[in-house]
Amino acid sequence: MKARHKRLIVIMVGLLFLSAAAALVLSAFRSNLVFFFTPTQVAAGEAPRGTAFRVGGMVKEGSLLRDSEKGYFVVTDTQKDIVVKYKGMLPDLFKEGSGVVAQGQLNAQGDFVASEVLAKHDENYMPPEAKHAMDQAAARKAAETVKP
């Protein structure tokens, strides 16, 4: 076998390994990708069923129910509400009227079953996605009240 053919085989095997590594990295990235949706988008059916995603907004006043292992609360973007069920300890900073982002899936009843709940860390912080969604919902609500 000529040196030229050996070099070609080495290059082809190298490209094969590089392609396999790239495929594994992209597969891992895709499986860990989690999208953010507002309660309005979830109510409109834009959120995927059977796939994990994040929902964010404000915890509706008077909606928090806790027992020893479970928490139930409503997340709102001032337009729509979504019921969130969470099994586990809620974060210390979690409270009604504050910003929250929950990660999980929709169940058959349309409730959001969270696997993780993230609360804001100070009085002025809200995740950028949730802040943007809240601002858009407030603008839509204001536009609807102005119409004759």
Side-chain angles (χ1 to χ4, degrees), residues 56-141:
M58 301 296 282
V59 179
K60 192 170 187 177
E61 293 287 339
S63 70
L64 178 61
L65 298 172
R66 290 187 197 199
D67 62 24
S68 61
E69 293 182 7
K70 298 177 185 171
Y72 304 91
F73 55 93
V74 175
V75 175
T76 184
D77 62 1
T78 69
Q79 285 287 91
K80 299 285 184 178
D81 300 340
I82 185 168
V83 175
V84 177
K85 297 178 180 180
Y86 179 65
K87 186 175 184 179
M89 296 293 293
L90 290 167
D92 290 337
L93 296 174
F94 182 88
K95 61 184 177 183
E96 294 176 345
S98 66
V100 67
V101 174
Q103 181 174 323
Q105 297 182 8
L106 289 173
N107 65 11
Q109 294 78 30
D111 296 334
F112 188 79
V113 180
S115 58
E116 183 178 12
V117 175
L118 306 169
K120 67 180 185 174
H121 62 74
D122 71 17
E123 291 301 316
N124 300 318
Y125 177 77
M126 181 179 292
E129 299 93 349
K131 175 90 172 106
H132 180 66
M134 294 289 289
D135 292 344
Q136 284 183 334
R140 281 192 301 268
K141 193 172 190 176

Side-chain angles (χ1 to χ4, degrees), residues 33-46:
L33 189 64
V34 179
F35 291 102
F36 178 86
F37 293 92
T38 64
T40 300
Q41 291 172 317
V42 173
E46 295 176 27

Side-chain angles (χ1 to χ4, degrees), residues 18-33:
L18 186 61
S19 297
L24 289 173
V25 167
L26 290 174
S27 174
F29 178 71
R30 186 174 181 193
S31 66
N32 290 325
L33 189 64

